[in-house]
Amino acid sequence: EAQVTQNPRYLITVTGKKLTVTCSQNMNHEYMSWYRQDPGLGLRQIYYSMNVEVTDKGDVPEGYKVSRKEKRNFPLILESPSPNQTSLYFCASSLFNTGELFFGEGSRLTVL
Amino acid sequence: GQQVMQIPQYQHVQEGEDFTTYCNSSTTLSNIQWYKQRPGGHPVFLIQLVKSGEVKKQKRLTFQFGEAKKNSSLHITATQTTDVGTYFCAGPPGAQKLVFGQGTRLTINP
């Protein structure tokens, strides 16, 4: 089954404790992206990747890092989480950068 | 910067009433996509429009792409409780990536 898998789905952590949200897709998609969703603000792009070893900042990259060492994986790293990073995070992938996006089920992160 | 604006932000209707959400871009879009996110769920692709003036239908849903390829609309006829959710438009103002509208959250009174 074609899917985008994110883990963890839910996480409560404390300020400053590094965490990684993993994202994996099994569709051989070139393009992958991370979004955060906050009430009233829609989906805002954090980082995206056009291909292996090619990543770029989205609209709200501050406080986040990503890597794309393999085509299928695109982890989101919060080196020192802060409460303003409490949000619902979605990973998505598509065949190319402006194609239909397939979303993961989301990761709800709370930073205390 | 390049933006995709969507209105209204919220819409509450009685079951059976029609619903429309509008999407506008400051620049010409090569395509427009629509997504639906059910409460507690993730966005799911509905459709993509590519041609100027294009109209596509999916049962009670009608999607339009403007002649200038700067605006789009989604119209739902005779809403049902299964239509509840947030509807997003997304377009690539430049060549790099999709930009999402803020979404329209639809609630329905049964």
Side-chain angles (χ1 to χ4, degrees):
Chain A
E1 181 190 354
Q3 59 186 2
V4 178
T5 304
Q6 296 178 226
N7 280 295
R9 294 286 316 281
Y10 303 91
L11 180 64
I12 301 174
T13 190
V14 295
T15 300
K17 187 175 181 183
K18 180 180 178 180
L19 69 92
T20 299
V21 187
T22 63
C23 175
S24 181
Q25 51 95 3
N26 63 0
M27 295 168 279
N28 201 36
H29 283 169
E30 304 267 321
Y31 181 84
M32 296 187 75
S33 182
W34 277 101
Y35 298 88
R36 61 177 288 175
Q37 185 173 30
D38 303 288
L41 297 177
L43 292 160
R44 294 183 294 167
Q45 190 177 50
I46 303 170
Y47 268 94
Y48 64 97
S49 170
M50 302 280 256
N51 213 327
V52 176
E53 301 292 1
V54 180
T55 63
D56 210 345
K57 295 178 181 179
D59 300 313
V60 288
E62 294 79 19
Y64 305 94
K65 286 174 60 176
V66 293
S67 68
R68 188 94 181 271
K69 293 185 172 60
E70 306 163 285
K71 198 171 189 178
R72 63 183 294 126
N73 296 323
F74 190 45
L76 178 70
I77 304 154
L78 286 72
E79 293 272 1
S80 182
S82 62
N84 65 12
Q85 292 178 297
T86 292
S87 187
L88 177 59
Y89 292 87
F90 287 104
C91 179
S93 73
S94 67
L95 207 53
F96 54 95
N97 58 317
T98 60
E100 171 190 348
L101 279 168
F102 292 80
F103 283 82
E105 294 192 358
S107 297
R108 186 167 291 281
L109 171 65
T110 301
V111 183
L112 302 175
Chain B
Q2 295 165 328
Q3 291 187 359
V4 176
M5 306 299 292
Q6 193 174 349
I7 57 169
Q9 191 172 358
Y10 302 97
Q11 185 79 59
H12 180 76
V13 300
Q14 289 289 129
E15 188 174 16
E17 290 182 340
D18 292 358
F19 159 77
T20 305
T21 174
Y22 300 91
C23 187
N24 290 285
S25 170
S26 54
T27 59
T28 301
L29 303 171
S30 59
N31 72 77
I32 190 88
Q33 299 177 18
W34 286 92
Y35 293 77
K36 177 183 179 180
Q37 183 180 20
R38 293 182 187 274
H42 58 279
V44 174
F45 176 84
L46 292 176
I47 206 162
Q48 175 175 279
L49 305 172
V50 179
K51 298 178 184 175
S52 169
E54 189 170 13
V55 178
K56 286 188 177 181
K57 291 191 175 185
Q58 290 180 349
K59 295 183 181 178
R60 294 176 295 103
L61 277 61
T62 301
F63 304 84
Q64 293 189 352
F65 200 10
E67 294 290 339
K69 300 183 77 172
K70 287 186 174 182
N71 57 74
S72 181
S73 65
L74 158 59
H75 179 83
I76 302 178
T77 303
T79 54
Q80 299 176 359
T81 54
T82 53
D83 296 325
V84 163
T86 301
Y87 293 85
F88 292 97
C89 63
Q96 284 291 93
K97 57 180 184 175
L98 286 177
V99 174
F100 281 82
Q102 297 93 327
T104 296
R105 182 179 171 192
L106 173 64
T107 55
I108 298 174
N109 208 21

